[in-house]
Amino acid sequence: MKHIIRLLFIIFVVLIAIGYYFKNSGNHPKGDTLIGIAILLGSFVLMPVFIYHRWKDRKVKDYMLTNDNIQKMRDFNDDKKK
């Protein structure tokens, strides 16, 4: 999974760079198209894959504010003040 994310990121950066190169060299429509494709790739492919990779082994309940978690935070703060 790490390799896929790295490959997608490299493709994203290369498309952005080539798009700006074409845009500055006078071929505006092709440069804008490449930049747009890169942004779509980053938004709809790279970010969901990255988020899935980072959150696949985590429990969502650990990050929710439940009464138990609020009590743990209060206990931790009380211990810290002493």
Side-chain angles (χ1 to χ4, degrees):
M1 185 66 79
K2 266 190 196 179
H3 300 295
I4 293 171
I5 292 170
R6 287 181 184 170
L7 179 67
L8 287 172
F9 181 73
I10 290 170
I11 291 170
F12 172 75
V13 170
V14 167
L15 281 174
I16 293 283
I18 292 172
Y20 276 111
Y21 173 76
F22 280 144
K23 195 170 181 179
N24 288 333
S25 68
N27 194 353
H28 293 285
K30 192 170 188 178
D32 289 338
T33 303
L34 287 174
I35 293 170
I37 289 170
I39 297 299
L40 288 174
L41 173 80
S43 300
F44 294 112
V45 178
L46 180 61
M47 283 304 295
V49 170
F50 175 76
I51 291 170
Y52 170 76
H53 173 69
R54 296 299 294 172
W55 277 84
K56 67 182 174 186
D57 295 330
R58 306 238 175 126
K59 297 176 189 166
V60 176
K61 191 172 182 178
D62 292 340
Y63 300 96
M64 293 175 64
L65 278 179
T66 60
N67 289 331
D68 295 333
N69 288 343
I70 292 172
Q71 188 61 39
K72 286 179 189 176
M73 288 189 297
R74 285 182 183 155
D75 292 341
F76 178 76
N77 286 333
D78 290 343
D79 291 341
K80 203 165 134 180
K81 288 180 182 178
K82 291 180 182 180

